[in-house]
C-alpha cells in the first residue's frame, strides 16, 4: 500500500490532504509540521491509525536532516511513493516589485524553494524514495509568469518570485531525480485560489475541491508528465 509524505500538514491544504488520504486506512501517511509545539488537534481528528506526526521545519537544514532520520525509523524499510512538498509561506503579500525587502525575499526562498529542494535531496540520499516516486512541489498560479502577466495590478511579489523559482526547481529535479530513479516523476502543482488562511480574502475554492482534484491528478501522473506544471483540474499550466 502506498506511503505519502505531506509537509505542512497541520492546517490548510496539508490538513485537507491528510483528511482525504486517511479515508483509505491502508495508506501510510507521514504528516509534518514546523515545530513539535504545533497544535495538531485538527489534523489528528482527521488522521488514520497509520498516520505518523513528525517535525520538519523546511527553513532549517538541520530540521530536515533530523526529519529524514525519523522517517527512516518510522518506515522500517518501506519507501516513499508520494512526496508532497506542501509547506510554504506568504508572509508579506503587500510587498511589490518596487518595495521588496531583501530579508523577506530570502525567507520566502529559504522556505518555498530551498526547503523542497533539500527535503527531496536528503530523502533521496537516504534511499527512502521509491523507484517510481511521485514528487509534487506545491507552487501557485502566481508561480506562472504567463498567469502573472494577466493579473493587474501584480500580486504578492516575493511569494510569486519564490513560487516561480520552485517551478524552475521542479524542472531541474525532473531530470536529476530521474537519473537516480528511472521511474520517478516530478511536477509542480497549482492548487488554485483556495479558502485557507494563506488564501485570504477573495479565495474561491473549497479545500475539498482543490485537494480532491490534485489527488486525482497526482494518482494519474505518467512518465510523460515528468517536469510539467499542472493545476488542480489536471490541466497543464503555462510557465
Amino acid at each position: 500500500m502506498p506511503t505519502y509524505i505531506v509537509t505542512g500538514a497541520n492546517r490548510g491544504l496539508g490538513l485537507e490532504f491528510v483528511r482525504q488520504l486517511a479515508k483509505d486506512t491502508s495508506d501510510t501517511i507521514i504528516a509534518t509540521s514546523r515545530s513539535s509545539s504545533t497544535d495538531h488537534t485538527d489534523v489528528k481528528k482527521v488522521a488514520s491509525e497509520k498516520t505518523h506526526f513528525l517535525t520538519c521545519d523546511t527553513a532549517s537544514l538541520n530540521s530536515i536532516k533530523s526529519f529524514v532520520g525519523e522517517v527512516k525509523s518510522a518506515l522500517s524499510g518501506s519507501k516513499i511513493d508520494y512526496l508532497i512538498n506542501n509547506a510554504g509561506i506568504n508572509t508579506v503579500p503587500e510587498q511589490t516589485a518596487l518595495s521588496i525587502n531583501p530579508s523577506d525575499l530570502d525567507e520566502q526562498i529559504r522556505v518555498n524553494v530551498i526547503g523542497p529542494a533539500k527535503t527531496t535531496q536528503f530523502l533521496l540520499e537516504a534511499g527512502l524514495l521509491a523507484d517510481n516516486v511521485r514528487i509534487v512541489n506545491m507552487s501557485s498560479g502566481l508561480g506562472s509568469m504567463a498567469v502573472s502577466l494577466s493579473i493587474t495590478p501584480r500580486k504578492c511579489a516575493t511569494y510569486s518570485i519564490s513560487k516561480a523559482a520552485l517551478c524552475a526547481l521542479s524542472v531541474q529535479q525532473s531530470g536529476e531525480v530521474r537519473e537516480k530513479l528511472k521511474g520517478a516523476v516530478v511536477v509542480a502543482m497549482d492548487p488554485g485560489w483556495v479558502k485557507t488562511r494563506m488564501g485570504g480574502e477573495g479565495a474561491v475554492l473549497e479545500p475539498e475541491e482543490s485537494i480532491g482534484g490534485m489527488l486525482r491528478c497526482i494518482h494519474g501522473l505518467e512518465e510523460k508528465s515528468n517536469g510539467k506544471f499542472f493545476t488542480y483540474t489536471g490541466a497543464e499550466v503555462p510557465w
Side-chain angles (χ1 to χ4, degrees):
M1 293 297 103
T3 297
Y4 297 80
I5 288 180
V6 181
T7 64
N10 58 296
R11 60 183 175 86
L13 298 180
L15 173 64
E16 183 62 20
F17 267 118
V18 172
R19 189 187 73 80
Q20 293 196 27
L21 290 172
K23 290 178 180 179
D24 187 339
T25 56
S26 64
D27 291 348
T28 297
I29 306 167
I30 296 175
T32 82
S33 57
R34 183 167 50 189
S35 168
S36 58
S37 62
T38 298
D39 185 355
H40 294 106
T41 302
D42 290 340
V43 70
K44 285 185 175 180
K45 286 179 181 177
V46 302
S48 67
E49 291 183 0
K50 295 183 70 175
T51 302
H52 304 264
F53 299 96
L54 301 179
T55 298
C56 183
D57 180 357
T58 57
S60 164
L61 295 187
N62 287 335
S63 179
I64 298 171
K65 289 177 180 177
S66 296
F67 163 70
V68 170
E70 292 177 356
V71 170
K72 193 167 188 175
S73 298
L75 293 184
S76 302
S78 296
K79 300 286 184 81
I80 302 299
D81 300 292
Y82 296 90
L83 170 58
I84 301 174
N85 285 314
N86 169 71
I89 59 171
N90 181 15
T91 54
V92 283
E94 71 281 2
Q95 287 186 10
T96 72
L98 300 180
S99 64
I100 289 174
N101 182 317
S103 64
D104 290 326
L105 181 57
D106 286 347
E107 182 184 25
Q108 301 278 328
I109 294 292
R110 188 169 65 253
V111 175
N112 295 348
V113 186
I114 302 301
K118 291 303 183 180
T119 300
T120 301
Q121 176 189 335
F122 295 159
L123 287 168
L124 177 63
E125 291 174 348
L128 292 172
L129 299 180
D131 288 340
N132 63 342
V133 66
R134 273 41 182 158
I135 299 172
V136 179
N137 292 322
M138 198 61 59
S139 186
S140 165
L142 295 177
S144 162
M145 286 177 279
V147 172
S148 291
L149 276 170
S150 71
I151 299 173
T152 303
R154 306 290 192 255
K155 294 176 62 177
C156 305
T158 55
Y159 177 76
S160 177
I161 291 166
S162 72
K163 290 300 186 177
L166 180 61
C167 287
L169 171 68
S170 302
V171 171
Q172 296 293 320
Q173 288 177 330
S174 70
E176 292 164 5
V177 175
R178 178 70 70 84
E179 290 178 4
K180 306 289 186 182
L181 302 171
K182 299 306 181 184
V185 173
V186 183
V187 299
M189 186 71 69
D190 169 18
W193 194 3
V194 188
K195 296 177 182 178
T196 63
R197 187 167 74 181
M198 183 182 290
E201 186 177 352
V204 295
L205 270 179
E206 295 294 338
E208 183 176 3
E209 181 180 359
S210 172
I211 301 305
M214 285 194 285
L215 285 174
R216 285 190 291 274
C217 180
I218 292 165
H219 290 146
L221 292 173
E222 302 173 331
E223 185 173 338
K224 64 183 180 182
S225 307
N226 192 39
K228 293 185 177 180
F229 186 10
F230 296 99
T231 188
Y232 72 97
T233 63
E236 198 168 339
V237 182
W239 298 113

